[in-house]
Amino acid sequence: GFGDAPWRRCPGTGAMCGLATHAALRLSRSFDFGGRDLARWFPGHMAKGLKKMQASLKKVDCLIEVHDARIPLSGRNPVFKETLGVRPHLLVLNKMDIADLTNKQRVLKELDEKGIRNVLFTDCFRDKDVHVKKIVPIVTDLIQKSDRYHRTENVEYCLMVIGVPNVGKSSLINAMRRMYLRKGKASRVGGAPGITRAVLTKIQVCERPMIYLLDTPGVLSPQIESVEVGLKLALCGTILDHLVGEETIADYLLFTLNKHQKFDYVEHYQLGEPCDDLQTVLKKIAVKLGKTQKIKALTGVGDVKVLMPNYSAAAYDFIRMFRKGELGKVMLD
């Protein structure tokens, strides 16, 4: 174990740094989840989206729910279960390329306990994603086994992609469109939560039976049952950054990487060693990225030029690198 590894405080920073190996680092800090306003984390247009979606849902035979593979158990919105009644449902956990799937079986078991049996991991940005190819066969099977299949003279079926913001709904639709229509992008791909707000059109994805995919995803507001879940969602870009605060997200990111012993960030930013003090880390990132300003400071001996790090630019870079998978693969749940 790393129980008794020596550690010391970085001189003059109050930060704790490992002496021996990275793994031997004992990070003392726990994260303070208190006193944050969860209610502010949700924009109004999402509630409207759900009402609109309910109308188009009457025509839908099967739901493809997309969620981020790094938070398979956090923030999924159960509301569609109540609104949509019983209909076939496939959970697609996207961004598997940047998720640590070492404990995939544990995740599948926990989802199974919640009654979610049809789960598929994907990476929608890879053109030849073998997993995306499995969606239509799985869904066809689910539809044919469901009651809806038997009650109907209507020999065409309709699929809808739903999920919380920025988990890859449009990317999945685009990947399926490329696969079945050999055409490029019609859903605008965001990278910021809440970019898709268009009107519904359909793409044919299967001939026998005739299956269509609605071109616009349904956006659900994430369910935030605790501040910790909120921070996980914010870290994955599911809540707009400014609502939570970039430094708060960066602080939670640093805490998380250290807790999971994912020290790629040390290498990436050439920090020399892991550290659990956000200001120290952001300062070093700012200096490395050249995000600093010279500022005049008045002292007893006249004006002195002081180098001021741009903390928010550093925080922004730190978060963005994590989201792109540059700081290693992580499982947050």
Side-chain angles (χ1 to χ4, degrees):
F2 345 104
D4 303 304
W7 53 271
R8 59 180 166 81
R9 297 202 165 265
C10 294
T13 64
M16 198 196 74
C17 295
L19 244 190
T21 61
H22 287 177
L25 184 76
R26 287 178 62 188
L27 293 157
S28 55
R29 215 162 58 108
S30 61
F31 196 86
D32 170 25
F33 292 112
R36 298 171 204 276
D37 176 15
L38 290 184
R40 260 195 35 250
W41 291 359
F42 284 99
H45 77 263
M46 289 191 191
K48 291 203 283 280
L50 194 65
K51 288 209 170 58
K52 241 201 249 147
M53 202 162 53
Q54 268 167 285
S56 54
L57 276 167
K58 295 188 174 61
K59 314 178 193 84
V60 173
D61 298 282
C62 181
L63 290 166
I64 301 172
E65 181 195 0
V66 183
H67 201 63
D68 191 314
R70 295 168 295 179
I71 44 170
L73 310 168
S74 291
R76 289 184 47 249
N77 190 334
V79 74
F80 74 86
K81 274 285 185 235
E82 293 118 54
T83 18
L84 315 189
V86 224
R87 61 191 77 180
H89 166 251
L90 170 65
L91 175 61
V92 170
L93 293 170
N94 189 35
K95 308 191 186 186
M96 66 181 283
D97 52 312
I98 50 178
D100 177 0
L101 297 180
T102 322
N103 295 320
K104 187 171 163 181
Q105 290 321 116
R106 171 186 63 84
V107 167
L108 290 171
K109 186 169 171 288
E110 287 192 45
L111 287 168
D112 187 69
E113 283 161 11
K114 294 180 178 175
I116 297 155
R117 313 244 144 63
N118 308 306
V119 183
L120 187 66
F121 287 86
T122 60
D123 166 11
C124 290
F125 281 118
R126 264 221 310 272
D127 250 3
K128 297 279 180 284
D129 186 16
V130 286
H131 307 283
V132 175
K133 287 194 176 83
K134 294 177 188 165
I135 292 177
V136 170
I138 292 173
V139 162
T140 306
D141 189 49
L142 291 176
I143 288 174
Q144 290 176 335
K145 283 180 182 155
S146 79
D147 306 342
R148 296 172 85 87
Y149 185 68
H150 302 294
R151 54 128 221 210
T152 168
E153 300 73 67
N154 184 10
V155 272
E156 56 176 64
Y157 299 95
C158 188
L159 314 176
M160 184 176 196
V161 173
I162 61 171
V164 301
N166 210 12
V167 287
K169 298 180 297 296
S170 299
S171 303
L172 177 66
I173 289 172
N174 289 334
M176 288 176 74
R177 178 190 291 101
R178 281 196 303 271
M179 204 165 282
Y180 295 100
L181 294 190
R182 312 271 173 266
K183 275 200 205 70
K185 303 183 175 185
S187 275
R188 273 172 66 204
V189 174
I195 214 168
T196 319
R197 299 188 196 178
V199 199
L200 310 175
T201 51
K202 298 194 292 193
I203 304 160
Q204 183 186 326
V205 292
C206 184
E207 198 113 352
R208 283 192 199 146
M210 186 64 87
I211 298 180
Y212 289 100
L213 171 67
L214 290 179
D215 200 11
T216 303
V219 183
L220 301 168
S221 55
Q223 190 188 41
I224 303 191
E225 56 265 17
S226 69
V227 174
E228 182 167 14
V229 167
L231 285 165
K232 287 178 182 181
L233 289 161
L235 189 48
C236 292
T238 297
I239 301 171
L240 290 162
D241 290 351
H242 70 266
L243 295 175
V244 180
E246 283 182 349
E247 290 204 22
T248 303
I249 299 171
D251 201 14
Y252 181 66
L253 171 56
L254 182 62
F255 165 73
T256 302
L257 293 173
N258 287 333
K259 185 178 81 174
H260 291 292
Q261 309 220 327
K262 298 278 180 185
F263 297 124
D264 294 27
Y265 76 92
V266 177
E267 187 94 0
H268 183 87
Y269 289 113
Q270 298 163 353
L271 301 181
E273 50 196 353
C275 188
D276 73 345
D277 178 70
L278 182 68
Q279 296 303 320
T280 305
V281 170
L282 291 184
K283 195 174 191 171
K284 288 181 174 178
I285 291 175
V287 170
K288 182 182 183 311
L289 299 174
K291 303 279 184 192
T292 52
Q293 272 169 311
K294 281 208 170 87
I295 285 179
K296 268 190 194 160
L298 286 169
T299 66
V301 292
D303 289 2
V304 176
K305 286 211 166 159
V306 183
L307 208 60
M308 273 293 290
N310 182 338
Y311 288 108
S312 65
Y316 175 72
D317 192 81
F318 188 34
I319 296 163
R320 223 188 47 214
M321 287 304 133
F322 168 77
R323 288 180 185 157
K324 282 168 67 181
E326 305 270 326
L327 306 181
K329 300 183 178 199
V330 175
M331 169 61 69
L332 297 174
D333 279 341

